[in-house]
Amino acid sequence: MKAIIIGGGIGGLTTAIALQQRGWQYEVFEAAPEYKTVGAGILLGANAMKVYERLGIASILASRGGHLEQLYIKDYKGKILQHIDGNQLEQQYGSRSLPIHRATLQAALLEQLQQPVQTGKKCIAVTETPRGVIARFDDGSEAQGDILVAADGIRSAVREQVIGSQGYRYSGQICWRTTVNMELPDAERHNTAEVWGRGNGIRASFMHVGGNQVYFWFTKKLPENTPYTNEQALALIQQELADFSGYMPAVARNINPAQLIRSDLYDLAPISTWHKGRVVLLGDAAHATTPNLGQGASQAIEDAYVLVDSLCSHSDYETAFRHYVTKRVERAHKIVRLSWQLAQLTNWKGAFAVAVRNFAVRSIPAGSAKRQLDFLYNITL
Ligand SMILES: Cc1cc2nc3c(=O)[nH]c(=O)nc-3n(C[C@H](O)[C@H](O)[C@H](O)COP(=O)(O)OP(=O)(O)OC[C@H]3O[C@@H](n4cnc5c(N)ncnc54)[C@H](O)[C@@H]3O)c2cc1C
């Protein structure tokens, strides 16, 4: 059996690795002309790391990323609102979250593949025949397979063609990300905090992602498409973070504006149709979420494992697709919903509202916090 995978992002590459391990043939087609080595970092959840353990690559990734001991949510004065102990997480769930540079992750995933990704291949049409599925690319070429996995991201062209037009929702926030080359003191290397400002969606964080690389991100509530040059964005970031406690202003001072990556943050209104005929959606193409729970890629990674496992344990692709969706849809949609609610919570403004919000977050009972962690990380594969 052969799968055509459209999109060589984290979801598509993980699917290819899982298929390869189960003896499937596959071809991965990526629209970008090449993989770039620049970019931001990412936090892979303990759930995603469990999948990578199952695929035998968790230790390779861990050796190239950062090592996170403690994760906090703090207010800008340094007061702790919530706390996750990475060591406890590992004891309870058998894996820990991994901060890593995206380019490092991508390179490690690409290394696993015996069949190189075909770059510069933008899929523009998908056609089913009685015996298979054909993908057509903008360079005039085509590829044929038994099934097609659409892992082409939130703006999935395959989804739009096969399943229909879906709704993008703007969260009200713009995010700027980058990596900064700097040496952090030990405590800062192993602990990270998501720091909430005085409302209006202002949040920032930095974390060590291996070597001397520090991943930094910043969000603010702003209308979508608000024009900002990178220099203006950096001035805004430095101004908003100037009175944040701790190391945050120092990291912000080291940012090279040319390396800032901007994302206006959208998600996809939940859809329950994830497959049609021989085509199946995966990752952001199926259930793009805002990044507030740091779970978008982690969910794509879970999808990849569950889809391939379903394909290998059912004799026909339609039953396998149905099984995959049944196992994944409720969880993925809950994450989209929770992440959206969190974005709206951080959008609150005004000193009183922010004080109430921070008090509420600080007072979340231990039992509720534990249930949330169980939901995110305690997965069975
Ligand atoms: C600011 C921000 C921070 C985030 N932080 C985290 C985090 O810390 N942890 C986490 O788990 N998630 C995070 N995410 C979410 C995460 O980046 C995505 O959920 C994840 O990348 C989805 O992977 P994917 O493979 O489904 O899609 P993508 O990563 O979007 O990959 C899709 C690929 O398909 C290619 N493509 C698109 N169209 C075509 C086409 N027509 N033909 C061929 N190829 C095509 C694209 O070039 C791309 O390479 C964050 C997202 C944002 C915006």
Side-chain angles (χ1 to χ4, degrees):
M1 294 287 276
K2 179 183 161 191
I4 299 173
I5 301 170
I6 304 298
I10 297 167
L13 295 179
T14 306
T15 307
I17 293 168
L19 285 169
Q20 178 176 286
Q21 293 187 357
R22 306 291 281 263
W24 271 59
Q25 287 178 35
Y26 64 85
E27 279 187 289
V28 186
F29 297 96
E30 166 56 44
E34 59 183 344
Y35 281 99
K36 294 202 174 114
T37 52
V38 292
I42 191 164
L43 184 62
L44 294 177
N47 49 325
M49 292 309 290
K50 206 171 243 179
V51 173
Y52 283 140
E53 249 164 56
R54 191 59 76 84
L55 296 176
I57 49 178
S59 56
I60 299 172
L61 297 178
S63 70
R64 300 182 192 178
H67 178 80
L68 203 53
E69 297 274 336
Q70 309 294 334
L71 198 148
Y72 299 95
I73 296 179
K74 291 184 180 175
D75 73 8
Y76 71 99
K77 293 177 184 158
K79 190 180 217 168
I80 296 171
L81 305 180
Q82 278 295 321
H83 169 220
I84 298 174
D85 184 324
N87 299 323
Q88 234 172 41
L89 212 65
E90 188 162 19
Q91 275 167 18
Q92 278 170 352
Y93 307 122
S95 54
R96 70 167 64 222
S97 300
L98 176 75
I100 188 166
H101 197 292
R102 281 182 186 255
T104 308
L105 171 63
Q106 228 158 35
L109 298 179
L110 286 167
E111 271 170 26
Q112 298 294 316
L113 297 180
Q114 285 151 11
Q115 173 89 6
V117 172
Q118 300 183 49
T119 50
K121 294 276 184 185
K122 182 176 179 187
C123 179
I124 49 166
V126 172
T127 322
E128 277 209 38
T129 68
R131 279 176 292 118
V133 58
I134 297 170
R136 294 199 163 75
F137 301 98
D138 64 347
D139 62 359
S141 63
E142 54 182 53
Q144 187 158 1
D146 296 297
I147 62 161
L148 184 145
V149 181
D152 50 345
I154 182 170
R155 308 268 165 191
S156 168
V158 178
R159 182 194 63 230
E160 296 293 299
Q161 189 210 314
V162 176
I163 287 168
S165 189
Q166 308 298 338
Y168 306 113
R169 304 185 300 189
Y170 180 56
S171 69
Q173 296 182 353
I174 296 178
C175 176
W176 283 273
R177 293 172 283 172
T178 190
T179 41
V180 175
N181 205 328
M182 70 188 285
E183 187 110 24
L184 287 176
D186 256 9
E188 304 289 342
R189 280 168 85 91
H190 301 311
N191 302 325
T192 188
E194 173 176 324
V195 185
W196 293 8
R198 298 184 188 83
N200 244 353
I202 292 171
R203 281 174 299 162
S205 182
F206 64 88
M207 62 189 84
H208 176 239
V209 289
N212 274 347
Q213 296 287 301
V214 177
Y215 166 41
F216 168 90
W217 62 259
F218 169 88
T219 61
K220 181 169 168 127
K221 183 177 179 202
L222 286 165
E224 58 194 314
N225 303 320
T226 306
Y228 268 98
T229 64
N230 278 12
E231 286 70 22
Q232 287 169 329
L234 181 56
L236 170 81
I237 291 167
Q238 288 175 339
Q239 183 194 328
E240 295 287 6
L241 301 184
D243 64 349
F244 273 43
S245 75
Y247 229 68
M248 192 72 80
V251 176
R253 273 196 300 278
N254 276 282
I255 292 172
N256 174 351
Q259 289 174 1
L260 276 175
I261 302 166
R262 167 183 170 156
S263 309
D264 295 29
L265 299 178
Y266 294 85
D267 75 3
L268 192 64
I271 53 167
S272 42
T273 306
W274 287 10
H275 64 99
K276 192 168 175 194
R278 292 175 182 268
V279 175
V280 63
L281 307 180
L282 181 137
D284 275 13
H287 48 71
T289 173
T290 53
N292 305 292
L293 289 175
Q295 275 288 327
S298 303
Q299 291 306 303
I301 293 162
E302 283 189 31
D303 282 354
Y305 188 88
V306 173
L307 174 63
V308 172
D309 202 47
S310 299
L311 286 167
C312 295
S313 41
H314 294 89
S315 53
D316 66 293
Y317 63 84
E318 274 174 325
T319 314
F321 288 171
R322 274 202 299 276
H323 184 253
Y324 155 69
V325 178
T326 305
K327 275 195 88 170
R328 293 289 306 134
V329 74
E330 196 182 319
R331 174 169 168 78
H333 284 175
K334 185 168 174 184
I335 281 169
V336 170
R337 193 169 66 247
L338 291 175
S339 188
W340 181 267
Q341 287 165 354
L342 195 53
Q344 301 319 311
L345 188 69
T346 63
N347 276 343
W348 287 13
K349 59 180 181 188
F352 179 69
V354 167
V356 170
R357 175 198 72 185
N358 288 0
F359 177 75
V361 172
R362 215 170 54 240
S363 314
I364 291 173
S368 304
K370 166 88 170 56
R371 275 194 295 281
Q372 172 95 321
L373 293 180
D374 284 349
F375 164 67
L376 289 176
Y377 302 132
N378 195 15
I379 56 162
T380 45
L381 292 171

